[in-house]
Each structure stands twice: as structure tokens, then as C-alpha cells.
Amino acid sequence: MELPVISNAPPALAGGCSESGCGTAPDALAHLPDHIRAKVQDHPCYSEEAHHHFARMHVAVAPACNIQCNYCNRKYDCSNESRPGVVSELMTPNQAVRKTLAVAAAIPQMTVLGIAGPGDPLANPERTFETFRQLSEQAPDIKLCVSTNGLALPDCVEELARHNIDHVTITINCVDPGIGAKIYPWIFWQNRRIRGVEAARILIEQQQKGLEMLTARGILVKVNSVMIPGINDKHLEEVSRIVKAKGAFLHNVMPLIAEAGHGTYYGLMGQREPTPLELEALQDACAGDMSMMRHCRQCRADAVGMLGEDRGAEFTLDKIETMEIDYAAAMVERAKVHREIADNLEMKRALQRAPKFDAPARRADPPASRSLRIAVASKGGGLVNEHFGHAHEFLVYEVGPSGHRFLGHRKCTPYCMGDTSCGDGETVLGQIIASLEGVEVLLASKIGFEPWADLERAGIRPSGEHAMEPIEDAIRAVYDELAAAGKLDPAPAEVAARAA
Amino acid sequence: MALEIVDSCVGCFACEPLCPNKAISAVMRPGEPLFFIHPERCTECLGDHDLPQCAEICPIEGAIVDEFGEPLNPPGSLTGIPLHLLDQFRVTECRQ
Ligand code: SF4
Ligand code: SF4
């Protein structure tokens, strides 16, 4: 097995994404041409590095949709771009612009404004483009991005290019109309509802045409796919190859979310979700030479703040109504903050490039130990700094004898939301343990007595020993310790293979 | 001859810009359906389109009805969810 070694990033990566606060391989962006990498580097949705330092927000100005997906219930926001079962506060373009300016003035780290729902932004072109037009004028220091199902995309490319929007996300779940018919029951096309294979064929054609038109104009395109076991899971590798060939810079595979309680077709029909291990395997298979966005959290369409946080409550419509916004002054302050962050990141990159003097184990012949999965509870900043009971998600790493890589987030309901609300702990703990399938060690800054025992019973070693340590050092130390104790002997199959 | 929007409308705005007669508007009064079709302006799209545009794009089964109260998109016709599952879901939803 080959594992990239984070801290041995070759110096040739100058300017690339080598900071690894959340532990992704440093070459995650290295394959991209310079001009694309420069665009992605500070984008909190696309760069693992930037999402710790910059913030993004979405505004919900686009309620209508022109297709139906089987994972969607139209009572709620688009479940591809948001948490299912969530209804965003719908805004007019004027309100959205005001909110964006208010947030950008208060949170100088806010660099990206996205329109992602609750419906399809390009099925509401007037509302979407009115928002973009005003923002390009009033806040030229904010990057704009938009997500779409692609049906109306070819008609919008000209206009998108005019507004100087450089990030477009297309959700592409298939390139085969037969498969598409199992994902999309209908589309609205040329004044009528069209169903079945014909609908899927038109949608796929429009998506592919839109993708080609955008990349031909040098507009960055990310492709999202929803992994639906038994329907498009095998097929997504082909999708990945095709969108890559057409110039998409990222292909992000997300798990289907299908609960009966959401009232979606898949939810009610009992379509199952992929397991974390299945998702990781597909993400690996699709990766190839193209980076995958493993840190995607399927954030809410109207979220405000750094990835994984939501400060929306500070910027409700009545609150922004009364705010005084001097955006010209804010822009000066923002430029200063952006410079500081950029300098800070550059310094970290320089440190990463400096030669390291590490434990000799790393340079010695790789011992014949197998790799293992370690889950980490972290609040951010690249540290083991979250209590087990407060964690909303665990970062999962695969650690091998000579390196490690970040596999993804396993989301969960926190075991304990505080000292009074631990009543549901029992069932929640069961769910957390189920979500940690394949994980053998769990690091947190603190783990309570009860979950400790349950984790051990489930074959997961809990540890609070590495509290406040950098994640990379902690998982390396755990691995080396277990390997030295002979607890990571190669799997029997490997031994047999070597003996043969 | 006019179509009507009933309670189950979720207010997604999809129909509003499509109406050739500008007959559809958002309603801001609690207790009423979120959107309203002006009965004197609605022509059921006759002369403009083969099919009534609002009912063609509406994603919500049962939200748009004709003058006899018959839904243009009956239950199950848009999502493909079998009726017995839809019924079960409605019961659980009401309890929430
Ligand atoms: S049927 Fe046609 S005219 Fe009547 S409200 Fe719907 S879109 Fe407008
Ligand atoms: S399309 Fe249907 S659900 Fe949407 S606003 Fe119109 S009537 Fe309501």
C-alpha cells in the first residue's frame, strides 16, 4: 500500500496546499495549473487549507427548481447542497445583498458568497443574477459561486461569464440516461414536464454541454455526485473520468442521505445510504490524479461563517435591517485581515517545507505493519482538542508505517450536549459507534467513563493521552506505539503472500 | 375557467414567473395558501401553451387543482411514491 507522507512534501510544491491542519495530503491541489491553484487556494469550500482561515456564506434567493431528484423533498432545501429537512430563510436579491455586506463587514474572513438553493439558482436566473450583479459592483472583494443541477446551465454561461463568477458547482449523478431515470423522475423542459429516460437524457446532455462551455471559458467547475448504492455507485467512476477529461477541477462524491422521516422517494422506498467505508472506497477509486474534496460537510445552503459553524443567528433579516454598514471602510479592514491570513499561511507553508528531524522510525525500512484507521475529535486548528461527548464529527485518518492520509469526516449527534441533556446518550452512543465502522483508535481531549467502556467493547481503543497535540503528531505516536508493541502485525493474507 | 392553488403549496415560486397572464402571486397572509391564482386572469394557458405552465412545473402533488377541485398532479404522479407509503408518511408527519 502506498501512502503519501504529509511532512515530507517535496519542496517543488511551493505555493501549493501543504498546510495540513486537517491532514489532507499536501499534493491535494498540486496537480492543478498555477492559475487554477491560485484561485482555489483561498476558497474555504475547495481548499482544505483555507477553510480553517477563511469563511464562506450562502444566501437563499433561489427557491424554484426545474427538476425533481429522488433524494429531495421539495418542502425543504435542496438536499444535495444542504442538510435535508432544513428550510432556509428565503430572501429577495436586495435583502441578500444587504446581508452579504453586513456579514462581510463583521466577519472580514468572509471571502466567498454562494447561491445554492433552496432550489436551483439557474432556474431562478433573475434573482440569482440580480444578486451577483449588485455584489460585483458593491463588494468586488467577495468571490461569487453558484451551484446548479445543470439543466439551465448552457443558457446561463454567457451571463455567468459577464458577472465574472469563477466557481460553478454542477451536480452530476450519472452520464447514462438509464441510470438517470432511476434518480430523476422528471424535469421541466421547454414548457412541459418530461419524465423517464428522455428526461434524464436531456438533463445529462445539458450538464455535459454546460461543463464544456464553462471550462472552455476558463471558469472553474467542481462536480458534485451523490453516491446512491445499487444505482450509481459503480457508475460514478466513469462519471469521474469523464468530468475530469472535460476539465472539472474537483470531483466531490457525497453520500446519499435518505431517511424515511424526510419523506423523499428514496427515504420512503427504503433505499439505503452508503456506509462510510463504501464512500471512502469510491472516493479512492474516483480520485485518480484529481483531487477530491474530502472535507465537504454538506453545509446548509444559508449557513454563515467558517466551514462547520453557523453564525446565521447574528444576521437575521430584522437585525441587518438596523445595521449601519460602511462597506468602503470595511473593505480596507478586510484587505488587512486577508493579507495577515495570507502571510500566516505562507509562513506555515515555509515551515512545512523546512527539513524535519523526525522519529527515526519514519526513515527506517518500513516495518511490516499494517495500516489502521484512527478517528480524532477536533474543534479545528489541526489539534486533538475536542471532548468526545461534544464532537459533532470525527476526522478519520488512515495511518500506515510511513505516512497517513485523511479519509473523511464521520458526522454524528454529540453524545452529550452539556451537563443536563445527556438523557439520550445511550442510543446516540450506539449510533456514534456504528458511524465509526472500521476505526480502531479514537483520540479526543477527554472521554467520559461510560462511552470509554462502550468504545472498548466495540473494539475501538479510546485515548485522551494526546489532548491538545497536533493531530499529525498524535496519530503518528499512536501508530508507532502500537506497531512497536507488535499490535499491528500485517494481516494474515499479507504474511502468506510474503511467505509464498 | 381557472386553476387554483391550495394549502399544500410549499411556496417554491416555480410557477409564478411562468404564467403567461401574470395571474400568480405570493400571498403573505397566515392561514391562506402561499400562492394565489387570480381567477379572472388565469386562462389555463389556452392560446399560449399546450399545457398549463404552473401545473407542469409544480413539484407538489395536489397543490394545483382545477375548477372541480381535481388535482392536476394527483398523489404519486410526480414522486412515484406508492400511495400506501405516502399515506403512512402523512400520518407520521401529522403527529409531529
Ligand atoms: S394555468 Fe396558465 S394562466 Fe392559469 S395560472 Fe397557471 S400558468 Fe397562469
Ligand atoms: S409551483 Fe406549486 S408549490 Fe411551488 S409555489 Fe407554485 S403552486 Fe406552490
Side-chain angles (χ1 to χ4, degrees):
Chain A
M1 157 158 17
E2 227 183 18
L3 292 165
V5 184
I6 290 278
S7 50
N8 290 352
L13 277 178
C17 173
S18 52
E19 208 271 340
S20 45
C22 54
T24 315
D27 57 354
L29 302 175
H31 69 290
L32 298 171
D34 283 347
H35 72 283
I36 293 187
R37 195 171 57 209
K39 278 185 175 176
V40 179
Q41 203 155 280
D42 293 346
H43 196 299
C45 302
Y46 298 154
S47 157
E48 297 264 8
E49 178 188 20
H51 83 261
H52 295 293
H53 306 279
F54 291 104
R56 54 83 185 93
M57 71 178 281
H58 290 126
V59 286
V61 295
C65 196
N66 46 11
I67 71 171
Q68 174 73 47
C69 306
N70 278 335
Y71 45 77
C72 168
N73 176 349
R74 289 308 320 274
K75 276 194 191 164
Y76 307 116
D77 287 6
C78 176
S79 45
N80 174 36
E81 289 298 327
S82 327
R83 285 200 305 259
V86 171
V87 187
S88 297
E89 183 181 35
L90 184 66
M91 283 180 273
T92 64
N94 287 338
Q95 288 170 325
V97 168
R98 198 168 162 79
K99 176 168 176 180
T100 308
L101 296 179
V103 172
I107 308 178
Q109 297 95 322
M110 203 285 280
T111 52
V112 181
L113 182 273
I115 296 187
D120 183 76
L122 301 184
N124 305 255
E126 298 84 8
R127 299 173 70 101
T128 297
F129 288 129
E130 174 62 19
T131 309
F132 283 155
R133 195 185 54 72
Q134 290 193 30
L135 282 174
S136 319
E137 261 170 44
Q138 298 176 36
D141 61 341
I142 296 176
K143 296 177 190 182
L144 305 171
C145 58
V146 63
S147 308
T148 178
N149 61 43
L151 183 62
L153 181 55
D155 298 337
C156 294
V157 168
E158 274 316 313
E159 176 109 37
L160 282 169
R162 203 170 316 139
H163 290 291
N164 200 15
I165 291 155
D166 55 3
H167 301 87
V168 175
T169 303
I170 316 175
T171 299
I172 298 180
N173 293 323
C174 56
V175 290
D176 173 339
I179 294 173
K182 296 180 191 153
I183 303 173
Y184 308 103
W186 57 264
I187 66 170
F188 179 79
W189 178 247
Q190 294 177 345
N191 300 102
R192 58 198 325 135
R193 200 187 311 266
I194 296 179
R195 300 164 192 263
V197 177
E198 172 67 358
R201 187 191 61 73
I202 296 168
L203 177 61
I204 291 166
E205 226 173 78
Q206 292 289 99
Q207 289 172 335
Q208 296 297 319
K209 192 166 149 203
L211 167 60
E212 287 161 22
M213 290 169 74
L214 287 170
T215 54
R217 281 168 180 72
I219 299 175
L220 288 186
V221 182
K222 178 184 101 186
V223 171
N224 273 355
S225 299
V226 179
M227 176 185 186
I228 310 161
I231 296 198
N232 70 350
D233 47 349
K234 304 266 164 9
H235 178 62
L236 283 180
E237 288 180 46
E238 189 187 344
V239 170
S240 202
R241 261 196 310 278
I242 289 173
V243 300
K244 250 189 277 191
K246 292 190 177 171
F249 83 99
L250 262 179
H251 181 209
N252 176 32
V253 178
M254 299 182 305
L256 168 72
I257 298 173
E259 282 172 33
H262 296 147
T264 62
Y265 175 84
Y266 285 148
L268 292 175
M269 298 299 279
Q271 165 67 47
R272 73 172 181 88
E273 301 173 355
T275 68
L277 292 186
E278 286 173 329
L279 179 67
E280 285 168 16
L282 179 64
Q283 288 175 330
D284 276 349
C286 291
D289 56 347
M290 188 192 205
S291 54
M292 303 281 289
M293 196 179 62
R294 288 280 170 86
H295 68 276
C296 176
R297 284 165 163 82
Q298 291 178 319
C299 49
R300 294 178 52 170
D302 64 349
V304 175
M306 312 293 278
L307 275 180
E309 80 169 8
D310 190 356
R311 292 177 56 183
E314 296 167 40
F315 303 97
T316 55
L317 284 182
D318 24 310
K319 285 188 188 154
I320 58 171
E321 197 89 356
T322 56
M323 280 182 199
E324 293 274 346
I325 310 165
D326 179 354
Y327 200 75
M331 220 150 37
V332 177
E333 173 64 19
R334 285 167 54 76
K336 202 175 113 224
V337 172
H338 296 172
R339 234 184 348 265
E340 279 167 16
I341 298 173
D343 290 350
N344 189 352
L345 289 175
E346 190 43 53
M347 205 172 73
K348 282 195 185 168
R349 285 184 201 123
L351 281 176
Q352 290 274 328
R353 289 194 293 272
K356 283 205 173 184
F357 299 97
D358 277 323
R362 212 181 285 192
R363 267 179 301 276
D365 276 342
S369 303
R370 66 182 175 85
S371 64
L372 94 156
R373 286 186 162 87
I374 301 182
V376 179
S378 174
K379 281 203 249 270
L383 302 176
V384 182
N385 58 359
E386 180 67 296
H387 288 207
F388 173 81
H390 297 175
H392 289 263
E393 63 182 6
F394 295 95
L395 311 177
V396 176
Y397 296 83
E398 183 178 26
V399 191
S402 59
H404 69 262
R405 60 185 185 140
F406 177 63
L407 290 178
H409 298 83
R410 307 274 176 93
K411 290 196 179 203
C412 62
T413 310
Y415 172 61
C416 169
M417 279 307 299
D419 33 18
T420 51
S421 60
C422 289
D424 288 334
E426 291 280 296
T427 42
V428 170
L429 187 55
Q431 286 164 8
I432 295 175
I433 287 174
S435 78
L436 291 173
E437 183 192 358
V439 168
E440 293 177 69
V441 179
L442 184 135
L443 305 182
S445 63
K446 220 174 178 176
I447 307 179
F449 179 71
E450 258 179 60
W452 186 289
D454 281 31
L455 284 164
E456 277 192 331
R457 259 198 298 281
I460 301 169
R461 270 168 221 262
S463 166
E465 262 175 58
H466 297 276
M468 304 318 291
E469 286 178 20
I471 294 173
E472 289 169 22
D473 297 352
I475 58 179
R476 174 53 43 199
V478 167
Y479 185 89
D480 289 347
E481 192 184 313
L482 289 174
K487 293 192 171 135
L488 296 174
D489 292 337
E494 280 175 47
V495 177
R498 216 165 318 155
Chain B
M1 205 178 75
L3 300 187
E4 192 188 332
I5 294 173
V6 300
D7 278 349
S8 49
C9 162
V10 297
C12 77
F13 279 82
C15 55
E16 188 256 1
L18 294 182
C19 177
N21 300 312
K22 299 214 175 335
I24 307 176
S25 53
V27 180
M28 295 299 168
R29 284 181 297 277
E32 284 179 35
L34 295 164
F35 276 73
F36 171 73
I37 295 177
H38 198 292
E40 265 117 68
R41 288 199 206 146
C42 173
T43 57
E44 296 194 5
C45 289
L46 278 185
D48 290 295
H49 299 283
D50 294 344
L51 295 157
Q53 293 301 288
C54 53
E56 282 300 287
I57 200 167
C58 180
I60 302 297
E61 293 160 354
I64 300 182
V65 300
D66 65 16
E67 54 199 329
F68 307 107
E70 285 295 319
L72 278 86
N73 300 301
S77 67
L78 300 183
T79 56
I81 300 172
L83 294 183
H84 68 281
L85 290 180
L86 268 183
D87 287 342
Q88 268 172 26
F89 179 64
R90 258 191 232 120
V91 173
T92 52
E93 233 189 352
C94 290
R95 283 214 204 95
Q96 281 165 10

